[in-house]
Amino acid sequence: MTKITIVLFLFFTTSLFAQDSNINIIPAPVSYKVSEGKFLFNNKTKIAFSDSAELNSANFLNDYLKSYYGFTLGIIRKAKAPSNCILLSTRRTVQKPEHDGRYTLTINPRNISIVGDTYQGTFYGIQTLLHMLPPTSQNEYALPCASIEDYPRFQYRGMHLDVGRHFFPVDFIKKYIDYIALYKMNTFHWHLTEDQGWRIEIKKYPKLTSVGGFRNGTIIGHHPGTGNDSLRYGGFYTQDEIRDVVKYAADRFITVIPEIELPGHSSAAIAAYPELSCFPNEPTKPAANSVWSGSREGKQVQQAWGVYEDVFCPSEYTFTFLENVLDEVMQLFPSQYIHIGGDECPKESWKRSEFCQQLIKEKGLKDEHGLQSYFIQRIEKYINSKGKKIIGWDEILEGGLAPNATVMSWRGEQGGVDAAKQKHNVVMTPGSYVYFDHSQSKHEDSLTIGGYLPVEVVYGYEPIPKELDSTEAKYVLGAQANIWTEYMKTGQKVEYQIFPRMSALSEVLWSLKEKRNASDFEKRMVQEFKRYDLWKANYSTAYYDIKSTITPAKRDGAILWSLESKSKAPIYITNNVTSAGLKYEQPLLISGSGNYTVSIVDQKKLLDSVSQNFSFNKATGKNITLANPPSAPYLGTGGAFGLVNGVKSEKGYPSDEWLGWKNSDLDAVIDLGKTQDVSKVSLDVWKQERSMIFLPKSVQISTSTDGKIWNNSLTQTMAEKPFNDSRKITLAFNQPTQARYVKIVAVNNGSTDSWLFADEIEVE
Ligand code: ACM
């Protein structure tokens, strides 16, 4: 019996080892089988092609090897009895293959063979091979014999980049396109025009770039900013550069979709040609509360972020301008799709423009939304007349969808659901899953737009909304990550925002749904981080963030503090009393106030470092019960205990420390364990009216010695004595009172769907 167990155990460990050590392919292929034997890959290996159209793939492989491994391979025509070769061949299917990009990759001890159904498939086989190479520089690599069959799940696999808020040079754009290729994605959505800069040369309208391509300053810090750097900023791509980029992408089987924003986000174009505005003589209005740099006369390129009221006027002048611009754009980009924006177009200018009001009447439109729809439909007609199609943000649904438009769903998934139900194609880019400008860490220390979108959430994203049946689902072409660059000034920062989330998205888009497995992905990510190092790409290590959990301890008045990270490296703790590092081994019992720093270092790289402050009072670690449960999703991480866990949210919302009640009240009882003096009680609250989070209408405290009879009630109401905006509401008894139980009731503001947010309750 014992013997058999041992034998089986050995068998399983060997086969698992073979897979774990070598197969770290992202995105996961449809199927792979590892078999006995190895292929020795070194600088004597040759690339053997069957037809010259495969040279793109061969060159890509060699460029990659040269950049990251320091050698290249000879390229030869395929011989009869080859050995030590990477054999490329392509079926060149006469009929359209069932899956664009299908390929097989076979490794035996003599050769590696990649067979694509199309040239694109052959190219993807190369990407898989590159992902099988260990991410370290060696002279020789022993690749396991394997048989891989693979094809993509979705036909649209995209990455967007906003070059309007910040401009990125062609070298970086090419690097970005390489990343897209390495993850078997096929679309680069190039957001070329914005309020803060027009980035594409248009021969007929030179001022678009000479004037619209530059701004006289940029706000400092978070919008609306703490000042202005007063530096002239800008840049643009010449048409030669655009052609070069488009060719570079095409060589990698990537389509570049240009975006020319209309009718909103058009301040830079208006700065160049004021007649595009309904009010050409009105000077540009800066964003509220932002500091402006330079001249404030006439039309200007915007210097802060956000949305602006001065938009394209739906006049014949504008349509002629846009048609001329689009003519040049369509000449430059072979893409079937032209993205025309359509999002975030305020209607104020159109409301107060006599011309627009007249046009609404003349065309029998319902209102300004109808006018937006008229605008988009006219542009669509023009683009369709040139044999191309439009794609636009989901606002193009409002006031009636243009007949052939594809919708990019960004304000959640509803736009995608509505469009698919109307039998329109859809690309999913919902903010809460694929906006890579959001923070990846709960304690992000670089400036970002905010939000919280960790890798795990991206990995768990399902692009087909549940509301769609199988026929409607066919309209979902795929998904895309959007990278808005208000807070990304450099290519390095862009890399930091996309990695590792892009690796997760590639698997969402390429791999079969049943192949997606978060724990397997986690194992493969260990190698993937090393690959980012190989590429010298910047990335966020938030994936390895230390997760801190605080739970009640068995001992009254103490808490249990647990730490974990996805990294296997040890976590060290220092505190303000003993500065020597303590290696974290097991949950720690904390029974008094203190400031700690916890950090995790792997191979000399600091993965995460966070400070944790515990502030103890009579309520900390005590038993707490709530009459009303908090409302999802603001349940905290430890339920009611979060109100007495000794940790106060330092940054305010968002943080797991806050519990939220929608349309209901906080009603808590704390058992202090024994009767003692109580003189005051305080409660941390959060107010953010734009998010419907309000201060309580009133707060009441009362005490008891038995938990049944309540007395010493003290109430403060907003009506009689408003709480100031401070984060902490304190109610103090005139005299200390003897109590074992403390009750605190904070009454919700009471407006429709109003939230009450509360954190630490302190008893003194
Ligand atoms: C968008 O994020 N405004 C499309």
Side-chain angles (χ1 to χ4, degrees):
M1 186 66 203
T2 319
K3 223 174 183 174
I4 291 169
T5 318
I6 289 170
V7 171
L8 278 177
F9 177 71
L10 282 177
F11 173 77
F12 279 120
T13 27
T14 333
S15 74
L16 277 177
F17 177 72
Q19 294 186 10
D20 274 351
S21 62
N22 294 299
I23 307 280
N24 285 291
I25 303 162
I26 294 179
V30 171
S31 82
Y32 68 80
K33 282 195 213 80
V34 176
S35 50
E36 284 291 302
K38 303 273 183 202
F39 173 86
L40 291 181
F41 179 83
N42 55 35
N43 63 4
K44 304 273 179 332
T45 305
K46 298 245 183 314
I47 307 171
F49 66 97
S50 318
D51 106 49
S52 55
E54 289 154 359
L55 285 172
N56 272 349
S57 294
N59 291 336
F60 186 92
L61 172 60
N62 257 348
D63 287 348
Y64 185 93
L65 292 175
K66 189 166 175 211
S67 298
Y68 304 122
Y69 294 91
F71 66 90
T72 55
L73 306 179
I75 300 180
I76 55 166
R77 269 203 183 269
K78 197 146 90 180
K80 275 232 168 66
S83 68
N84 196 21
C85 279
I86 299 166
L87 305 167
L88 304 182
S89 44
T90 306
R91 289 187 217 279
R92 281 169 290 143
T93 324
V94 179
Q95 286 180 317
K96 192 171 159 52
E98 187 186 352
H99 301 284
D100 267 343
R102 202 185 88 92
Y103 69 93
T104 57
L105 190 158
T106 316
I107 302 177
N108 65 40
R110 263 174 79 80
N111 288 306
I112 295 175
S113 169
I114 294 171
V115 183
D117 273 14
T118 56
Y119 296 116
Q120 189 175 1
T122 309
F123 183 76
Y124 292 146
I126 296 281
Q127 307 317 314
T128 295
L129 178 63
L130 295 180
H131 251 89
M132 294 181 79
L133 294 180
T136 47
S137 240
Q138 291 157 222
N139 292 329
E140 187 160 79
Y141 302 88
L143 297 179
C145 288
S147 166
I148 295 176
E149 192 188 333
D150 202 10
Y151 53 84
R153 179 177 171 208
F154 288 103
Q155 59 174 282
Y156 186 111
R157 305 180 298 280
M159 290 291 291
H160 150 286
L161 185 66
D162 161 19
V163 295
R165 274 55 176 260
H166 284 103
F167 176 75
F168 302 90
V170 168
D171 278 354
F172 180 74
I173 300 296
K174 288 184 173 175
K175 202 177 201 185
Y176 194 76
I177 287 171
D178 279 339
Y179 295 143
I180 297 177
L182 286 161
Y183 285 106
K184 302 189 181 91
M185 293 189 185
N186 62 0
T187 309
F188 170 41
H189 170 175
W190 205 358
H191 183 82
L192 286 163
T193 71
E194 255 308 334
D195 293 305
Q196 298 80 9
W198 181 283
R199 306 284 176 226
I200 172 173
E201 179 190 28
I202 301 295
K203 303 271 191 202
K204 202 166 184 126
Y205 299 103
K207 284 199 281 185
L208 280 174
T209 43
S210 66
V211 174
F214 297 85
R215 57 182 183 251
N216 288 329
T218 305
I219 56 158
I220 297 167
H222 238 262
H223 181 84
T226 54
N228 191 303
D229 67 12
S230 299
L231 299 169
R232 185 167 156 81
Y233 179 91
F236 62 91
Y237 307 102
T238 65
Q239 294 203 349
D240 282 343
E241 286 173 325
I242 301 255
R243 273 187 282 270
D244 180 39
V245 166
V246 167
K247 160 95 172 61
Y248 189 88
D251 286 347
R252 287 150 182 76
F253 300 90
I254 292 164
T255 302
V256 185
I257 299 183
E259 179 176 352
I260 304 296
E261 266 270 12
L262 54 93
H265 288 289
S266 42
S267 305
I270 289 171
Y273 296 95
E275 295 296 324
L276 295 168
S277 160
C278 293
F279 300 96
N281 298 321
E282 288 184 4
T284 294
K285 255 200 258 167
N289 304 318
S290 70
V291 178
W292 187 261
S293 168
S295 169
R296 289 192 61 160
E297 281 175 19
K299 300 293 188 190
Q300 299 285 337
V301 178
Q302 290 291 357
Q303 303 176 7
W305 319 129
V307 169
Y308 296 92
E309 286 177 15
D310 202 4
V311 300
F312 286 140
C313 195
S315 63
E316 289 312 306
Y317 175 86
T318 300
F319 285 114
T320 305
F321 165 87
L322 287 172
E323 287 173 10
N324 289 334
V325 166
L326 288 167
D327 280 347
E328 292 190 33
V329 169
M330 288 187 282
Q331 279 291 320
L332 289 166
F333 293 90
S335 162
Q336 261 291 291
Y337 280 121
I338 303 294
H339 201 302
I340 50 78
D343 62 320
E344 299 181 323
C345 178
K347 306 294 185 289
E348 279 76 5
S349 293
W350 295 354
K351 277 188 188 146
R352 64 188 180 89
S353 150
E354 268 175 44
F355 167 78
C356 292
Q357 293 308 312
Q358 189 55 35
L359 190 62
I360 288 173
K361 277 201 204 107
E362 211 174 276
K363 301 281 173 198
L365 305 170
K366 191 159 163 260
D367 54 10
E368 292 74 22
H369 291 289
L371 190 51
Q372 154 124 353
S373 181
Y374 162 80
F375 201 122
I376 304 288
Q377 296 204 20
R378 227 180 117 161
I379 294 294
E380 168 171 77
K381 215 168 182 178
Y382 187 73
I383 289 177
N384 287 170
S385 79
K386 304 287 169 181
K388 304 234 182 208
K389 298 191 258 190
I390 68 160
I391 188 162
W393 301 110
D394 58 43
E395 286 93 330
I396 66 170
L397 280 151
E398 293 162 9
L401 198 48
N404 307 308
T406 293
V407 172
M408 205 166 249
S409 183
W410 72 279
R411 296 174 302 174
E413 297 176 271
Q414 195 57 45
V417 171
D418 294 345
K421 286 188 185 287
Q422 293 177 39
K423 301 189 169 28
H424 280 253
N425 284 335
V426 169
V427 174
M428 299 300 291
T429 72
S432 45
Y433 292 100
V434 287
Y435 265 47
F436 289 180
D437 52 341
H438 293 181
S439 296
Q440 312 195 52
S441 169
K442 283 194 179 160
H443 49 269
E444 176 59 56
D445 53 13
S446 75
L447 190 66
T448 76
I449 199 160
Y452 176 57
L453 175 57
V455 187
E456 295 85 339
V457 173
V458 178
Y459 193 78
Y461 176 52
E462 171 47 43
I464 309 254
K466 334 185 249 317
E467 293 87 339
L468 300 183
D469 64 27
S470 61
T471 311
E472 293 159 345
K474 295 211 167 62
Y475 291 100
V476 179
L477 305 180
Q480 166 181 291
N482 292 339
I483 292 83
W484 302 103
T485 59
E486 288 93 334
Y487 304 101
M488 298 175 217
K489 291 186 183 178
T490 62
Q492 270 212 325
K493 183 70 190 283
V494 171
E495 291 178 340
Y496 178 82
Q497 293 294 127
I498 63 173
F499 293 131
R501 290 184 285 203
M502 184 176 177
S503 306
L505 180 65
S506 77
E507 196 144 312
V508 168
L509 292 172
W510 178 278
S511 305
L512 295 185
K513 198 172 170 190
E514 58 271 26
K515 285 281 158 186
R516 258 156 70 190
N517 175 320
S519 68
D520 187 62
F521 178 74
E522 190 177 323
K523 283 191 206 129
R524 283 177 285 133
M525 277 310 296
V526 175
Q527 284 271 21
E528 204 62 8
F529 278 104
K530 292 182 186 152
R531 220 178 296 285
Y532 303 150
D533 287 331
L534 179 77
W535 298 342
K536 297 196 170 47
N538 195 16
Y539 55 89
S540 161
T541 56
Y543 191 59
Y544 294 122
D545 271 1
I546 298 165
K547 190 164 164 250
S548 169
T549 312
I550 297 153
T551 49
K554 290 221 167 66
R555 214 179 82 194
D556 203 27
I559 57 172
L560 210 53
W561 183 29
S562 316
L563 299 169
E564 61 179 316
S565 162
K566 287 199 170 89
S567 168
K568 300 281 177 285
I571 297 172
Y572 281 91
I573 306 171
T574 54
N575 80 5
N576 57 342
V577 184
T578 55
S579 59
L582 164 76
K583 186 172 162 188
Y584 176 80
E585 307 274 5
Q586 61 190 32
L588 298 163
L589 190 74
I590 307 285
S591 54
S593 301
N595 303 328
Y596 299 82
T597 302
V598 293
S599 19
I600 184 161
V601 176
D602 192 12
Q603 295 175 22
K604 301 203 177 126
K605 188 171 173 91
L606 179 67
L607 296 182
D608 193 22
S609 176
V610 277
S611 66
Q612 177 80 65
N613 298 332
F614 296 106
S615 166
F616 273 60
N617 62 77
K618 287 176 178 170
T620 309
K622 300 292 165 59
N623 193 22
I624 177 167
T625 49
L626 294 175
N628 309 315
S631 316
Y634 303 104
L635 307 170
T637 48
F641 187 69
L643 298 172
V644 292
N645 65 359
V647 179
K648 295 155 77 76
S649 171
E650 280 165 21
K651 280 198 184 159
Y653 164 79
S655 145
D656 287 340
E657 283 302 315
W658 295 104
L659 300 190
W661 285 263
K662 188 178 184 179
N663 300 325
S664 71
D665 308 330
L666 159 75
D667 184 342
V669 173
I670 299 165
D671 177 359
L672 300 177
K674 59 177 190 288
T675 301
Q676 56 196 284
D677 270 355
V678 170
S679 56
K680 63 180 177 184
V681 178
S682 52
L683 172 71
D684 281 357
V685 286
W686 186 250
K687 179 177 107 162
Q688 188 170 303
E689 294 187 351
R690 67 187 152 87
S691 310
M692 299 297 285
I693 305 169
F694 299 98
L695 291 178
K697 194 153 63 181
S698 66
V699 175
Q700 181 178 65
I701 57 172
S702 27
T703 61
S704 167
T705 49
D706 60 4
K708 293 183 189 108
I709 299 165
W710 296 93
N711 36 44
N712 301 313
S713 192
L714 191 61
T715 306
Q716 184 178 335
T717 71
M718 271 302 234
E720 287 161 16
K721 188 180 169 210
F723 305 113
N724 59 26
D725 279 2
S726 79
R727 288 261 303 274
K728 187 164 164 173
I729 294 170
T730 302
L731 272 67
F733 296 111
N734 286 335
Q735 302 269 331
T737 175
Q738 284 280 299
R740 173 172 169 176
Y741 298 91
V742 175
K743 186 203 278 264
I744 179 161
V745 178
V747 178
N748 192 298
N749 161 289
S751 356
T752 313
D753 289 343
S754 58
W755 285 88
L756 170 72
F757 267 45
D759 182 16
E760 208 66 0
I761 300 172
E762 292 167 83
V763 176
E764 285 170 42

